[in-house]
Amino acid sequence: MAQVVDVRIESHTEEFTDEMKAKVLDWLDAIGEDAASTTANIVATIPLVKTGRLMNSFERAVVQDEQAVYIGTNVPYAKYHEFGTSRGIPAKHFLQAGATLHQSEYKQMLEDKLKE
């Protein structure tokens, strides 16, 4: 007589996908925090620091729908120092440097986060 085996297949794709998305968002927040901090440290080394307003203004924002993190400041004169002006302010590119300086470490951070 043949034996009947009850086999049930369950999909956990949605839970897995949600967990991976949450890990990626955590990673984006962590690299955003690092990039904002790195940018502030770069600005601290530039002779333009007088009040510390710009240095203390860098923030990050994770945009879940885009799976992206943005680093920036609301200090109006930051753009003149980032990109320079035709009137003699040289470009300092502190935001660009802050966002890219630890790029290889960010890759490792993602790999570590996904292994958790």
Side-chain angles (χ1 to χ4, degrees):
M1 178 172 220
Q3 185 177 7
V4 176
V5 178
D6 185 16
V7 176
R8 295 173 195 240
I9 298 174
E10 295 180 15
S11 173
H12 295 279
T13 303
E14 189 173 329
E15 293 104 359
F16 177 79
T17 302
D18 291 346
E19 187 176 331
M20 288 298 111
K21 284 180 181 178
K23 287 182 179 192
V24 168
L25 292 175
D26 287 347
W27 169 71
L28 287 169
D29 188 53
I31 66 170
E33 181 179 12
D34 181 80
S37 174
T38 300
T39 302
N41 290 337
I42 291 168
V43 169
T45 67
I46 299 173
L48 65 90
V49 175
K50 291 180 183 173
T51 65
R53 179 178 176 209
L54 178 60
M55 182 178 62
N56 295 315
S57 70
F58 297 102
E59 304 254 344
R60 69 191 183 280
V62 175
V63 180
Q64 185 174 356
D65 294 345
E66 296 176 27
Q67 290 194 344
V69 61
Y70 294 93
I71 290 77
T73 177
N74 62 355
V75 174
Y77 56 85
K79 63 184 171 189
Y80 304 120
H81 292 289
E82 176 71 15
F83 301 111
T85 68
S86 61
R87 294 186 175 193
I89 295 176
K92 297 170 185 74
H93 302 297
F94 46 81
L95 272 167
Q96 180 182 354
T100 60
L101 192 63
H102 300 145
Q103 213 166 9
S104 61
E105 294 166 20
Y106 297 156
K107 180 182 176 198
Q108 185 61 51
M109 288 169 64
L110 178 59
E111 289 174 8
D112 294 344
K113 179 58 82 175
L114 294 176
K115 288 177 185 176
E116 289 179 357

